[in-house]
Amino acid sequence: MTTAAPSNVPAPPPGCPFNAEFLPPNLRKHVDPAAPVPLRMMAAKSLVPLSPSDMLGALYMLTYDPDAAVRETAAKTSAGLPEKILGSALRDEEVQPQVLGYFLGLLKDKDAYAEMLVLNSNTPDEAVAQVARECGPKLAEIIGQNQLRLLRYEDILRGLCANAQAPVSLIDSVCDFAVRSGLQLADVPQMKAARVRLFGPEAAEAPPDPGPTAQEVLQEMGTEVADENAAPMEEGKRLTLSQRLMKMSIAEKIKLATLGNKEARGALIRETNKLVAVAVIRSPRITDGEVLACAANRAMMDDVLRVIYNNREWTKNMKVKLALVKNPKVPLTVTMKFLNALRDGELKDLSRDKNVPAAVQTFAKKLLEKKTAPKKTDDK
């Protein structure tokens, strides 16, 4: 989801994929190409008081700086940041994907940091795919355990299969999973071996009845499942889409969840397979309205709700926060944290709402009583 940047945010350096909106307003000058070089050099040397996550973003921006000395200093600083900064920032799923990908390239030989980045769901798949080709056995195991990435971005599996350090047992396991999920990679010998293991010699070149691919569905149904601005689908077309989905493999559904529009995501979010549902909520095209609808849906899969309530950007939205509080499938520990951030009027409504979980209603009432109780004064 993208939002328009305020007009007071300086333009990014040429080639940089984002601007300085994430930084505190008074510190944006340190990455502004129009600012004096000494100001930018301060940030390039990490001498500006920024949070660890913001520090990574600022340094990345400065690697695009028009001044060569600033660029070189930012790159050198990035490669030598201390653990107290990296240990926090590399786990942060709110850091820009391009920044995480850049640091994975820098730190791929430092196992502890590379593991943090590979486990960060916001790290770009293409960056993980590059590391998969040459990483050690431990990191290969971690990459191989992320089933959603494997099915969403085929080059990750290609990279693992080409990695001489990856254990054979891991490759066999990952390929078996990929084949069962409908992934077809004709150029990967280990996938051919997995098809033979699972379906017999006759499946060496292709599995039986692979079903339609995401690209075929997109081509067949055109803008109705591809264009975000398409009109709501007619009932007949919606039935056709449902029929196609029933025949699609898990791998192709995940690709459609990433490439398709709101109509496609709306159909796929109801899938019983958690990988497909999570692929929908993690789609880069997901909208605020869809997130809110998922948060309010009492039948929504736990894995989808977990992605939503762990996303700090989404939970800044009061409507999303209230929807999660009212959803009985959200863990009480999470709900209590959100309740403490609500205003008196919202707590009052919750304390009277018979449709919310009883524990939420009771806690909201207690919080309201505590906040509105008259303060005691010492007797003189």
Side-chain angles (χ1 to χ4, degrees):
M1 292 184 298
T2 58
T3 54
S7 58
N8 63 341
V9 178
C16 185
F18 55 84
N19 61 32
E21 187 181 1
F22 67 97
L23 292 174
N26 63 319
L27 297 176
R28 292 170 184 167
K29 60 191 175 186
H30 291 284
V31 295
D32 183 355
V37 169
L39 280 178
R40 286 141 48 203
M41 189 61 81
M42 284 179 65
K45 293 179 178 178
S46 72
L47 299 176
V48 177
L50 293 169
S51 71
S53 297
D54 288 350
M55 176 69 71
L56 263 59
L59 286 170
Y60 175 82
M61 288 190 74
L62 290 169
T63 63
Y64 289 88
D65 196 88
D67 185 274
V70 172
R71 292 197 302 271
E72 292 167 9
T73 302
K76 184 178 179 181
T77 301
S78 297
L81 285 171
E83 197 280 332
K84 65 181 180 180
I85 291 177
L86 293 175
S88 167
L90 299 184
R91 293 186 176 94
D92 187 354
E93 294 189 359
E94 302 302 317
V95 173
Q96 297 88 342
Q98 300 93 334
V99 176
L100 296 172
Y102 170 73
F103 275 90
L104 181 54
L106 275 182
L107 304 170
K108 61 186 178 183
D109 296 325
K110 298 182 179 180
D111 288 348
Y113 297 141
E115 287 173 23
M116 293 178 196
L117 285 160
V118 165
L119 289 169
N120 189 324
S121 64
N122 216 27
T123 301
D125 291 338
E126 53 268 29
V128 176
Q130 297 236 344
V131 171
R133 290 186 167 274
E134 53 189 6
C135 62
K138 185 179 179 183
L139 192 57
E141 290 275 2
I142 294 172
I143 293 173
Q145 288 168 5
N146 193 322
Q147 296 177 333
L148 178 56
R149 279 198 195 275
L150 288 171
L151 298 182
R152 187 173 61 196
Y153 197 76
E154 298 172 355
D155 281 352
I156 293 176
L157 183 52
R158 287 191 176 95
L160 285 174
C161 289
N163 187 338
Q165 299 185 70
V168 174
S169 58
L170 170 68
I171 300 303
D172 287 347
S173 172
V174 165
C175 288
D176 286 354
F177 161 75
V179 168
R180 287 194 188 97
S181 300
L183 195 64
Q184 298 187 58
L185 299 179
D187 57 315
V188 180
Q190 295 94 325
M191 287 288 284
K192 181 176 180 179
R195 286 194 291 274
V196 171
R197 270 197 306 274
L198 294 171
F199 300 121
E202 64 276 11
E205 300 307 321
D209 190 21
T213 68
Q215 287 295 344
E216 287 170 351
V217 171
L218 287 167
Q219 289 170 8
E220 177 189 353
M221 307 197 73
T223 59
E224 292 178 300
V225 294
D227 186 357
E228 291 293 348
N229 298 315
M233 192 177 285
E234 297 175 1
E235 194 57 40
K237 292 287 185 71
R238 191 171 284 121
L239 179 61
T240 300
L241 176 59
S242 297
Q243 292 169 341
R244 295 292 182 273
L245 292 179
M246 288 175 65
K247 296 178 181 179
M248 289 176 74
S249 67
I250 300 300
E252 293 302 326
K253 288 177 182 177
I254 287 172
K255 291 175 188 174
L256 186 60
T258 304
L259 300 172
N261 66 359
K262 184 178 179 179
E263 194 82 50
R265 292 192 297 272
L268 289 164
I269 196 68
R270 296 191 291 272
E271 287 282 324
T272 55
N273 185 285
K274 71 176 184 180
L275 292 177
V276 176
V278 170
V280 171
I281 200 65
R282 290 200 182 279
S283 168
R285 304 177 76 183
I286 199 83
T287 64
D288 290 324
E290 290 171 272
V291 172
L292 177 59
C294 290
N297 188 341
R298 297 185 172 213
M300 188 53 59
M301 197 174 291
D302 293 345
D303 299 81
V304 172
L305 292 173
R306 188 177 300 113
V307 173
I308 296 173
Y309 64 67
N310 282 328
N311 187 300
R312 291 199 302 272
E313 194 61 34
W314 290 343
T315 53
K316 287 178 184 177
N317 184 320
M318 190 57 69
K319 289 182 179 179
V320 171
K321 195 175 291 185
L322 276 171
L324 290 169
V325 164
K326 293 178 180 181
N327 195 325
K329 295 192 76 174
V330 174
L332 206 53
T333 51
V334 176
T335 301
M336 297 307 180
K337 179 183 71 174
F338 290 151
L339 279 170
N340 280 299
L342 297 183
R343 296 183 287 262
D344 291 356
E346 290 150 349
L347 289 173
K348 186 176 181 180
D349 290 341
L350 285 170
S351 69
R352 296 174 175 178
D353 191 341
K354 302 296 183 183
N355 294 318
V356 303
V360 173
Q361 192 179 5
T362 301
F363 192 70
K365 187 176 181 180
K366 288 181 178 179
L367 269 179
L368 186 63
E369 289 172 350
K370 184 178 179 181
K371 291 175 74 173
T372 58
K375 294 182 180 180
K376 294 181 180 179
T377 57
D378 294 332
D379 294 331
K380 296 289 184 181

